Amino acid sequence: MDRNVSDICEVYYVDEERVEKARKALSPEKEILAVAETFRNLGDPTRVKILQALAIQALCVCDLAKLLAVSDSATSHQLRVLRSQKLVRFRREGKMVYYSLDDEHIDNLMREALRHIREGEGPVRAGAMKAGEDRV
Amino acid sequence: MDRNVSDICEVYYVDEERVEKARKALSPEKEILAVAETFRNLGDPTRVKILQALAIQALCVCDLAKLLAVSDSATSHQLRVLRSQKLVRFRREGKMVYYSLDDEHIDNLMREALRHIREGEGPVRAGAMKAGEDRV
DNA sequence: ATGACGCATGAACGTATGTTCATGTGTATT
DNA sequence: AATACACATGAACATACGTTCATGCGTCAT
């Protein structure tokens, strides 16, 4: 059967032009992966607390363990994760190891995330979504 | 010198004062959890791509599926996650559903994360940047 | 109405993730 | 040197997560 495919392709439901435009806006795959991994590492309540605390002042592992009410080992593991993504740095002082935030972007990310979650807490913005949408 | 070492306990290696100061700096538990969940939802390469694409223009599910080279179902699931955290909103147009970013904080978070990961990557030479990488 | 299409949802599967327990490393004190 | 302490690491376990498959829901055209 000979159907004229050109007609179909022109109006193809997937808007190729739009897709291409969006594709060009994407960061290279390597960066996408790095960004996702960074966010994933931030995506744990314990680590969020660690970073909020370190935003104020440097702390050692045992301080953090006490603050978080978890074991030293668990704390150390979490710090290892944060270290691997260069989210925290550390300096040695005798037996103690003091951790602090690695750069100012970390704190910025935390603050921006707080702003985001605080937006939805009030009454739902009018027209944000169609009626009958599932709540959080 | 038989000075008893028991007075070490008073000073305890865990600096209580420092810990208390840090504890006061923490957001309430509810917010910590919300922030962590938001970051966790951002911590997936597919969802990062979706948000970068939506930062440019609204797209429907099938557009995104094509762009991401995954099934419509998988795309829909990811959008459901993003919706649950109010990271994206959507509007219905006939059969199609167009998604877009919910607020400007999302884009800010993406850009800030990009800045972060680009810091540690050795010397940022001209060769490291390619066309279409002007997102920051 | 009936079929086609875009999208949403539920269940199930494989894998990755966070925690714990036990042990190892390095440093300071005795 | 030997001990104690702060921290790091490895293995192992339970759970959570993302993907896929199959199905259901709404809307549009015939």
Side-chain angles (χ1 to χ4, degrees):
Chain A
M1 54 152 92
D2 287 23
R3 55 181 182 183
N4 192 343
V5 284
S6 64
D7 293 339
I8 298 174
C9 288
E10 281 178 23
V11 290
Y12 201 17
Y13 281 97
V14 174
D15 188 328
E16 297 287 358
E17 189 179 339
R18 217 162 41 191
V19 171
E20 265 314 304
K21 185 177 169 190
R23 196 189 307 276
K24 290 200 179 79
L26 297 186
S27 298
E29 184 73 13
K30 198 176 60 178
E31 287 194 351
I32 297 278
L33 294 175
V35 166
E37 192 178 355
T38 296
F39 280 133
R40 187 157 44 77
N41 289 337
L42 292 174
D44 177 86
T46 299
R47 292 196 287 273
V48 169
K49 288 178 193 172
I50 289 176
L51 295 174
Q52 281 200 353
L54 296 185
I56 304 299
Q57 63 191 331
L59 293 170
C60 65
V61 178
C62 56
D63 286 340
L64 286 167
K66 182 72 185 297
L67 172 63
L68 304 169
V70 300
S71 69
D72 290 359
S73 175
T75 305
S76 187
H77 273 294
Q78 300 288 23
L79 288 169
R80 188 180 202 274
V81 172
L82 295 173
R83 241 166 38 203
S84 73
Q85 278 296 309
K86 301 249 196 312
L87 293 170
V88 300
R89 68 174 70 164
F90 64 95
R91 69 170 193 277
R92 179 148 223 136
E93 269 188 27
K95 283 196 271 191
M96 322 282 270
V97 175
Y98 287 92
Y99 282 84
S100 53
L101 296 190
D102 188 276
D103 62 55
E104 74 282 4
H105 301 299
I106 318 303
D107 199 32
N108 291 340
L109 284 169
M110 303 293 294
R111 292 175 189 282
E112 193 70 15
L114 273 174
R115 277 184 224 114
H116 167 70
I117 65 157
R118 282 172 180 164
E119 269 207 3
E121 288 200 345
V124 179
R125 296 180 302 290
M129 287 195 179
K130 281 237 167 184
E133 204 29 52
D134 55 346
R135 337 165 295 187
V136 177
Chain B
M1 45 166 76
D2 55 346
R3 177 173 37 204
N4 204 328
V5 206
S6 64
D7 53 4
I8 287 179
C9 289
E10 288 178 17
V11 195
Y12 205 12
Y13 281 97
V14 175
D15 188 328
E16 297 287 357
E17 190 180 339
R18 216 161 43 191
V19 171
E20 265 315 303
K21 186 177 169 191
R23 195 190 307 276
K24 290 199 179 81
L26 296 186
S27 298
E29 184 73 13
K30 199 176 62 178
E31 286 193 354
I32 297 278
L33 293 175
V35 166
E37 191 178 356
T38 296
F39 280 133
R40 186 159 47 77
N41 290 337
L42 293 174
D44 177 87
T46 299
R47 292 196 286 271
V48 169
K49 288 179 192 171
I50 290 176
L51 294 174
Q52 282 199 354
L54 296 185
I56 304 298
Q57 63 189 332
L59 293 169
C60 65
V61 177
C62 57
D63 284 341
L64 285 167
K66 181 73 185 294
L67 171 64
L68 305 169
V70 301
S71 69
D72 290 359
S73 175
T75 305
S76 188
H77 273 292
Q78 301 287 25
L79 288 169
R80 187 178 202 275
V81 172
L82 295 173
R83 238 167 40 203
S84 73
Q85 279 296 307
K86 300 248 197 311
L87 292 170
V88 300
R89 68 173 74 166
F90 66 94
R91 69 169 192 278
R92 181 149 221 135
E93 271 188 27
K95 282 196 275 191
M96 321 282 270
V97 176
Y98 287 92
Y99 282 84
S100 54
L101 295 191
D102 188 278
D103 63 56
E104 74 280 5
H105 300 303
I106 318 302
D107 199 32
N108 291 341
L109 284 170
M110 303 293 294
R111 292 173 189 280
E112 193 70 13
L114 273 173
R115 279 184 223 114
H116 167 70
I117 65 155
R118 282 172 179 167
E119 268 207 1
E121 306 226 332
V124 185
R125 295 308 196 93
M129 287 247 217
K130 308 217 162 183
E133 269 186 61
D134 45 303
R135 277 189 49 81
V136 163

